[in-house]
Amino acid sequence: MGLIWPLLALILDHRGVGSGLIGFSSASQALGSLFGPLLSLPAMRRFGMVKCAGGSILAILIALLLLKISDNVHAWFVIRFALGTGSSILFSCTQTWVN
């Protein structure tokens, strides 16, 4: 997340997107990061930690691929929300495993 967040903002800026829309796009990823922990516990209970972490990695990879192939800035809001959600679920899974 530390690399993706500013990199996506720079990509949008390079495409000529306004700073307000870039901020809202970043906020959608942050909102997903807040939403993810609400899903992580039920997901880990239902699927187990390993499958939950694997599913999160798969969701992150799909979101990154969709960001690469999509030129629609408004679609990036949904994709970045999914990216933030997947990242925070993965973080929750791995921290649960470590502790």
Side-chain angles (χ1 to χ4, degrees):
M1 285 180 73
L3 175 65
I4 298 283
W5 225 310
L7 183 62
L8 293 177
L10 289 172
I11 290 170
L12 288 173
D13 185 54
H14 181 66
R15 290 183 180 177
V17 176
S19 60
L21 202 54
I22 292 172
F24 283 129
S25 179
S26 296
S28 68
Q29 188 171 347
L31 188 61
S33 295
L34 294 173
F35 184 68
L38 299 174
L39 297 176
S40 62
L41 183 60
M44 281 190 277
R45 282 185 180 155
R46 180 173 180 159
F47 302 111
M49 196 280 301
V50 174
K51 287 182 182 179
C52 186
S56 296
I57 291 170
L58 184 62
I60 292 167
L61 291 174
I62 290 170
L64 290 173
L65 181 64
L66 288 173
L67 286 171
K68 175 70 176 163
I69 63 175
S70 176
D71 288 335
N72 185 348
V73 176
H74 300 291
W76 276 41
F77 284 90
V78 177
I79 298 168
R80 287 189 77 173
F81 180 83
L83 181 62
T85 303
S87 297
S88 66
I89 290 173
L90 179 62
F91 181 80
S92 296
C93 288
T94 56
Q95 291 304 306
T96 300
W97 176 76
V98 166
N99 290 322

